[in-house]
Structure formats: C-alpha cells, structure tokens
Amino acid sequence: MPLFNSRISQSLSQRQTQGLYRQRKPLNRQPSCVQFAGKLQAHINFSSNDYLGLAQCPELIAAWQQGLSVYGAGSGGSPLVTGHHAPHAELEHRLADWLGYDRALLFSTGFSANQAVLFALLGKSDRLIQDKLNHASLMEAGLLSPATMRRFAHNDLNALDALLKAGSDDCAATLVVTEGVFSMDGDQAPLAAISALCRETDSWLMVDDAHGCGVLGECGRGSAAQAGITPEISIVTFGKAFGMQGAAVLCSDEVAEYLIQFARHYIYSTAMPPAQAHALCTACDLVQSGDWRREKLAVLGHILADELLPEVGLVATETPIKPVLLGSSELAINLSAALAEKGIWVSAIRPPTVPVNQARLRITLSASHTEQQVKALATSLNASFEEVQDAGNQSDSGC
C-alpha cells in the first residue's frame, strides 16, 4: 500500500478508536430549530453561533435578495482587480465609523483575516504573544510566521506581564493577541488590564472579537468597547451575531494601506459578493438597533442557570456561550445523544478542539429561542445527565 494510503487509513482508524471521529449531518434549518435529513423529528438548536437570531431575519434575507438583483451573484475578482464594489466600500465605511476606527478591510472568513494580519505584519525579529486558548487560525499563523511566538496561560495577567517584560530590553516589535470572548469557554479576556500592560511596554494589541461584536458593549460594539479600549487591530466576523459570513479587520489608515499592499490573503482571494456586502450593511443596522435581542439573551441565560441542577456543572458566563464541562469525550457524546433523543440538539466538543480531558457540551443561546425552549433544554439536560450518570454507575458496578 502506498505510504499516503496507509498513513491516512491509520490516522482515521486511530481517531475512531479514540472516540474523536467527526461526521457531517445534512440538515434543514428553521428558526431556532434544525431538522436532519431523513429524520421526522425537529430538534431545538442550541449549537448555533447565530446569537442575535439574524440568520433567518426577514429584513436580512430581503436585503440579500435585493443585493443579488442589483449587483449579481459574484464579485468577479480580488479586491485589487475588479472585486471591490460600491457595497464593499459602504460596508467598510459603516464598520469603521461604528466601531471607532479609521478603516475596515473585508475578508471572506475570520480565519483568513486573522492569518492575513499575522503573516503580513510580523517579521523575523518580532515577538508574538498569544493567549493559550486563542483560535486555531491565530495559533497556526503564529507557528508559521517568522516571528518568535510565546503563549501565556489563559487570561493570566501575571504570565503576560512576565513575557512582556522579558523582552522589554530588546528592539523587537511585540504584538499581543487575544480573543475578546473565547469560543469554547464563553469567558471574556480582561482587555482593559491587557491593554494597560501593552501600553507600558509599547506593544500593540490585537483582539479577535468574533464572539463579542454584536453581543457585548453599547449598541453591540463588542468586547473592546465594553472594556473602554481601542486596540490597534480588531477582528470582527459576520458568521456569528451578524447572521451571515465573512470578516473585517479594523485598524488605522496606515495599517489598512499596508495590508492592502502586503497581505496575501487579501490580495489573492476573490472578494465576497457585493450582494453579501449590501446585506451586511443591513445586518449592521440590525445589530446596532438590537438592544432588545441582547436583553433577551441575558434573560435566557438567567433562566438556564436557574433551571439546571447544580451537579450538571454549567459554567457561568456573561455571554451566550454556556459550556457544561464533563472531561470525558465518551460522556459528552453520550449526553449529547441522550438530549437528541429528547429533541434537543447540543454539540459535544472534544479534543483537539478543546484540551485533553476537557470535553464538554457547548450550549449556545440565541435571541430566536423562546423562554419555553430554554426551560425544555434545562429539563431535558437535567434528566439526561442523571440517566447517563446512572448508566455509568451500573456499568462500573458490573450490573
């Protein structure tokens, strides 16, 4: 057998043995629910990042349809060829004005936006300091960049301070990168304190606010606005609270021009369709005027915390991401399956997405959920948790 074949076969077999094999499930989406292909039962969906419930908002759908009628289906090229259209310029202007930056640059994904910045900005003599739980796109870019990368323990200000001071005597440019809201834990970075440490050492701060923008801060401006700071670079994505897809880098005029000249992900990628940019302008309006949606998320979060049994182990957060830490991948899978039998869809998150022995259920709330649906989740999770625990106890006792 050729080496590639044997290596692939062995890797797939090992992943199955470890209980970490992943499979896609075709589905049809409804407001707050999903229906999987071949299944009659619809499941209440607590695994979506559509925090404000905009993905199926009639105004947003109408805006995209209008954009298609006016601008057509595709952009036709990269931004520096024929891909930068009037709706792109309008969206960039709106984002920069709303979030308090000189400029915004659009990307097709948050993954490419993160990597574009790190690859373009960092040189061989530079230092990159990242929170240990940053997204894979940031970690991969850091490892592949010519800069020296160091990681600090999650949200540990003392560890960050030590790393910053360790390099304060050299001439290296230092970039500190953190997420505003961490996608698997739902907790927030202490951005005000991190920003202060960066200022003390003349370092730059970059915040990936994929899960914070639209949800936190006045008018949904995000984690940095809530903390009262303006990082040198902010990343916002449109696949979460905005209900669509894509991303933007917020920065100064000079940094924007630098990225246009040197960021390969920007230069050599086809731009997002202008119809999408047109619809995203409507999404911006909906996010900014969506205080009632953010207030509803807070109410739903309190209901969930009040209704769940303490032993379930819900981690308290101020965001729509509500993890239930379980440790065992097998337990997470079994509990997710038990919930599915009750018409509740909550994904089991396992390594390598999270560290070993930190498997969990990742509950995500949406403004499209009703209070009754959240109570149904709590009732089902309480019952399923006890069922899975009882089954495990019986197995351990040999019954």
Side-chain angles (χ1 to χ4, degrees):
M1 178 184 291
L3 183 57
F4 279 123
N5 297 80
S6 60
R7 184 189 304 164
I8 290 170
S9 178
Q10 183 178 3
S11 297
L12 291 175
S13 178
Q14 182 180 34
R15 182 140 291 191
Q16 286 180 320
T17 301
Q18 294 170 334
L20 302 178
Y21 201 85
R22 289 161 169 77
Q23 292 178 295
R24 299 177 299 170
K25 296 177 181 289
L27 57 84
N28 294 312
R29 186 172 59 184
Q30 307 156 13
S32 74
C33 292
V34 290
Q35 185 169 9
F36 294 97
K39 302 291 185 181
L40 296 177
Q41 180 187 28
H43 294 75
I44 306 173
N45 182 14
F46 288 100
S47 292
S48 170
N49 292 329
D50 181 25
Y51 302 131
L52 298 184
L54 296 183
Q56 292 188 305
C57 174
E59 297 96 322
L60 193 53
I61 293 170
W64 205 336
Q65 291 171 333
Q66 181 188 48
L68 286 168
S69 298
V70 176
Y71 302 106
S75 64
S78 67
L80 295 181
V81 183
T82 61
H84 189 63
H85 297 240
H88 297 110
E90 174 63 19
L91 176 58
E92 290 181 347
H93 173 75
R94 289 195 186 201
L95 288 168
D97 183 65
W98 173 39
L99 298 175
Y101 283 86
D102 295 336
R103 296 279 291 279
L105 287 182
L106 300 178
F107 288 81
S108 294
T109 67
F111 203 106
S112 63
N114 278 336
Q115 298 215 332
V117 173
L118 295 193
F119 284 138
L121 197 61
L122 295 171
K124 187 175 181 179
S125 62
D126 298 331
R127 294 197 310 151
L128 171 64
I129 302 178
Q130 300 212 55
D131 188 290
K132 195 171 184 178
L133 295 189
N134 275 356
H135 190 265
S137 59
L138 294 165
M139 289 301 176
E140 179 183 82
L143 289 170
L144 296 176
S145 79
T148 299
M149 186 174 81
R150 295 289 183 267
R151 302 192 300 169
F152 62 95
H154 177 52
N155 280 346
D156 188 330
L157 294 172
N158 291 328
L160 172 59
D161 186 40
L163 286 174
L164 286 169
K165 288 179 178 176
S168 60
D169 295 332
D170 58 36
C171 297
T174 301
L175 177 66
V176 175
V177 182
T178 183
E179 297 186 35
V181 174
F182 290 86
S183 59
M184 291 297 110
D185 291 87
D187 59 341
Q188 298 173 243
L191 290 181
I194 291 175
S195 178
L197 291 176
C198 289
R199 289 196 305 272
E200 291 173 8
T201 54
D202 291 325
S203 304
W204 273 21
L205 174 61
M206 171 175 157
V207 175
D208 176 355
D209 208 25
H211 296 270
C213 189
V215 175
L216 301 175
E218 183 182 4
C219 297
R221 287 189 176 91
S223 301
Q226 185 186 56
I229 67 165
T230 304
E232 280 74 17
I233 299 172
S234 284
I235 309 293
V236 299
T237 64
F238 309 130
K240 282 78 178 178
F242 287 74
M244 294 187 66
Q245 187 257 348
V249 175
L250 284 299
C251 55
S252 67
D253 278 320
E254 192 170 35
V255 171
E257 288 301 315
Y258 181 84
L259 293 175
I260 289 171
Q261 304 304 318
F262 297 103
R264 287 170 294 178
H265 292 71
Y266 185 81
I267 297 167
Y268 299 113
S269 294
T270 300
M272 71 168 61
Q276 181 180 340
H278 176 79
L280 280 165
C281 289
T282 295
C284 282
D285 293 338
L286 292 169
V287 168
Q288 291 177 66
S289 63
D291 282 346
W292 70 270
R293 298 176 188 270
R294 287 180 280 275
E295 291 166 3
K296 184 178 181 183
L297 281 173
V299 170
L300 296 178
H302 288 306
I303 290 173
L304 181 63
D306 290 342
E307 296 286 329
L308 279 178
L309 296 171
E311 54 265 32
V312 170
L314 180 74
V315 178
T317 72
E318 298 300 320
T319 69
I321 303 168
K322 309 292 186 183
V324 175
L325 292 181
L326 300 167
S328 162
S329 294
E330 182 180 6
L331 178 57
I333 293 171
N334 290 342
L335 194 50
S336 177
L339 286 171
E341 290 293 323
K342 296 178 173 66
I344 305 289
W345 189 257
V346 179
S347 294
I349 307 297
R350 299 159 286 161
T353 305
V354 293
V356 175
N357 297 323
Q358 291 190 27
R360 67 197 62 191
L361 295 183
R362 180 181 183 266
I363 298 170
T364 51
L365 300 177
S366 170
S368 64
H369 289 134
T370 66
E371 293 185 10
Q372 290 72 24
Q373 287 174 326
V374 173
K375 289 179 180 179
L377 165 64
T379 300
S380 298
L381 182 50
N382 287 337
S384 296
F385 186 82
E386 291 180 341
E387 291 166 7
V388 171
Q389 291 287 84
D390 288 343
N393 291 337
Q394 291 177 4
S395 175
D396 291 340
S397 64
C399 297

